[in-house]
């Protein structure tokens, strides 16, 4: 079996493993993505005049016919306070042009928030320890043309009280400025109705050593209602390749019963409400996220009751996400906001699967990729921290280590290939001699396999092991914050493409040389193999030129580390060919006989 056939067989076997794993361990069922499917409630139409911002879909009222409260949806805790249209809804005074908007800053070592006094909305969230290449400054999470994050609305019956443009006062007026080691502090926004006994207080508690913000508040004068908190209109673009980043923009939520739901922003074509309860909800980009996380547990009735997904057709790929919850006793509410990097350790500390906000790979591959990615990241981060070397050198070392670990298996497989090569003449003799006798052919082949240890599958299994690693590394480089923006040699970012295409070219050369080492020692080389030797390397180089440079660096290192073993097996192949085929049942005397082959007598 030549190398090309073994390669094809290895790919087929690998796909068999992937499909079998998916069948044995099926992923959670996909989430419904349309208003007419189970779990999605079509939006209603009610709302008081001027209460809902222009262009926003009305939030559905949770009441049935004739104003009678509807039955709780499946999965919703019936002990939560049910909404009624009896509570009078105040006419909220929205800020007009005469009200001056002020920007309040909260800044620490890790982040810089900028809030508007109109709606207590975050108009800017910068992550100071991460650089956006195109901006030449800190990463910005809020879109410059968006309406901001964390604006609130209150739904009572068929009415909506929109608080996203009302004028708030703030304390302290000068904002918050933290130094390393400072204690946490609060930024408090308060809105008081000028004529009615209605007020809203929202407090943001910042810890300078954390990306987590504790949010709490209280609504007075309207203590029963459904609070809707906006998470934003998608995250801002920060990466070099906007096309790749656009495919990563999505909203993700963890449903208590149904597991994680995820949908790309570009695929949201209608506004709808998703019924909860949800353990968390988030907007994410390629490396960053803004997530809302309840403070309590479902047993305490403190999860998000639903999500409002609003499509914004005026902006392609833009979607506004809101989380809903019933106001607690006395009109209080609280949750946490995480605005920061998709750091695996940070996300894992929250529990409830938040680390899966950016799952690796396609759904059917995840059961296999998850453990592989976890091991790879543990090794890469461990080498980086233990040896105090850059990730470029870590990848080179990892490529060599993979070949060292696989050396015993590869060595065994190559020795099996040599045995198969030596028996090839005997195999051809049997196939020729018994080509018209299928049963006899099968019997003689089994005898040959037993006597000479011939195995047509030998050498295929070791080829399967590097493939899951290579596939896992592809997704590691696409999504792992630790490798974002890491330079090495001429490479400015190991998670981005090689700007000069040097690594893909060297990778193609190494693949050509590996094939040439094998083909030069073969007695018979068919035209297809020669064509593959010349066409496959440039084709693979072109494909890998689109992949992260770190992946190219690892694969190139692994190829170079394989060359000595390939050279050795090629020389051994020459020795086997010079030695000739072993004695077998078709060329030698019968087993157990000391006599040689019969020689005809001379006339």
């Amino acid at each position: 079996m030549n190398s090309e056939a073994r390669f094809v067989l290895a790919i087929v076997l690998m796909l068999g493993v992937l499909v079998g794993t998916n069948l044995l361990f099926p992923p959670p069922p996909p989430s419904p993505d349309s208003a007419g499917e189970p779990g999605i409630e079509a939006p209603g139409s009610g709302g008081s005049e001027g209460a809902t911002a222009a262009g926003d879909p009305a939030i559905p009222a949770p009441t049935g016919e004739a104003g009678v409260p509807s039955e709780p949806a499946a999965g919703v805790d019936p002990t939560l306070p049910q909404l009624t249209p009896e509570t009078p809804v105040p006419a909220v005074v929205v800020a007009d042009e005469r009200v001056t908007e002020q920007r309040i800053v909260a800044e620490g070592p890790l982040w810089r928030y900028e809030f508007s006094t109109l709606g207590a909305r975050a108009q800017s969230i910068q992550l100071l320890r991460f650089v956006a290449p195109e901006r030449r400054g800190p990463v910005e999470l809020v879109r410059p043309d968006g309406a901001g994050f964390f604006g609130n609305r209150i739904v009572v019956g068929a009415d909506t009280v929109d608080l996203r443009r009302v004028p708030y006062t703030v304390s302290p007026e000068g904002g918050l400025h933290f130094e390393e080691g400072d204690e946490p502090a609060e930024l408090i926004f308060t809105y008081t109705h000028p004529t009615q006994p209605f007020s809203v207080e929202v407090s943001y508690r910042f810890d300078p050593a954390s990306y987590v913000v504790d949010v709490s508040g209280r609504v007075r004068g309207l203590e029963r209602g459904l609070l809707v908190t906006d998470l934003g209109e998608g995250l801002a673009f920060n990466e070099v390749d906007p096309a790749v980043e656009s495919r990563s923009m999505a909203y993700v939520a963890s449903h208590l019963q149904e597991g994680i739901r995820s949908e790309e922003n570009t695929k949201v074509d209608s506004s709808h409400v998703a019924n909860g309860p949800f353990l968390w909800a988030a907007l994410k980009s390629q490396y960053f996220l803004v997530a809302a996380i309840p403070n309590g547990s479902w047993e305490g009735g403190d999860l998000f009751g639903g999500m409002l997904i609003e499509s914004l057709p005026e902006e392609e790929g833009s979607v506004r996400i809101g989380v809903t919850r019933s106001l607690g006793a006395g009109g209080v509410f609280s949750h946490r906001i995480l605005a920061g990097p998709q750091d695996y350790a940070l996300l894992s500390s929250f529990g409830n699967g938040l680390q899966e906000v950016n799952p690796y790979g396609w759904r059917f591959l995840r059961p296999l990729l998850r453990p592989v990615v976890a091991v790879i990241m543990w090794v890469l981060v461990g080498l980086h921290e233990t040896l105090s070397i850059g990730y470029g050198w870590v990848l080179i070392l990892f490529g060599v280590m993979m070949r060292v670990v696989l050396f015993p298996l590869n060595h065994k497989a190559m020795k099996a290939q040599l045995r198969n090569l030596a028996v090839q003449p005997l195999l051809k003799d049997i196939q020729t001699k018994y080509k018209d006798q299928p049963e006899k052919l099968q019997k003689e082949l089994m005898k040959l396999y037993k006597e000479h240890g011939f195995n047509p599958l030998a050498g295929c299994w070791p080829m399967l092991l590097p493939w899951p690693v290579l596939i896992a590394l592809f997704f590691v480089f696409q999504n792992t914050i630790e490798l974002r923006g890491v330079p090495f040699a001429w490479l400015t970012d190991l998670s981005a493409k090689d700007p000069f295409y040097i690594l893909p070219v060297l990778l193609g050369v190494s693949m050509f040389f590996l094939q040439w080492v094998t083909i030069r020692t073969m007695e018979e080389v068919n035209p297809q193999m020669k064509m593959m030797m010349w066409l496959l390397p440039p084709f693979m180089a072109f494909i890998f030129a689109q992949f992260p440079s770190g992946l190219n660096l690892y694969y190139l290192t692994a190829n170079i580390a394989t060359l000595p073993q390939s050279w050795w097996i090629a020389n051994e192949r020459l020795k086997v060919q010079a030695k000739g085929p072993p004695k077998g049942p078709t060329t030698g005397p019968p087993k157990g006989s000391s006599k040689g082959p019969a020689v005809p007598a001379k006339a």
Side-chain angles (χ1 to χ4, degrees), residues 521-539:
T521 59
M522 299 180 66
E523 292 182 333
E524 297 181 5
V525 181
N526 57 52
Q528 290 82 3
M529 290 186 64
K530 288 186 177 180
M531 183 179 298
M532 289 286 288
M533 183 181 70
W534 289 103
L535 296 183
L536 184 60
F539 174 75

Side-chain angles (χ1 to χ4, degrees), residues 67 70 91 175 188 191 257 267 286 306 365 433 458 475 507 552 555:
S70 60
I188 302 174
Y191 166 74
Q257 287 91 20
K267 296 182 179 179
Q286 191 172 1
L365 277 178
K433 185 175 181 179
F475 293 107
L507 180 61
N552 284 267
Y555 201 12

Side-chain angles (χ1 to χ4, degrees), residues 29 69 87 106 131 186 212 238 346 364 430 444 507 512 560 591:
T87 306
V131 176
E186 291 182 329
V212 180
N238 290 282
L346 172 64
F364 75 95
I430 292 176
E444 291 297 323
L507 180 61
F512 173 84
I560 295 175
K591 189 174 181 180

Side-chain angles (χ1 to χ4, degrees), residues 564-581:
Q565 197 174 28
S566 299
W567 191 272
W568 174 83
I569 197 67
N571 291 333
E572 291 297 312
R573 185 181 291 110
L574 291 175
K575 295 178 183 179
V576 169
Q577 293 171 355
K579 187 177 180 180

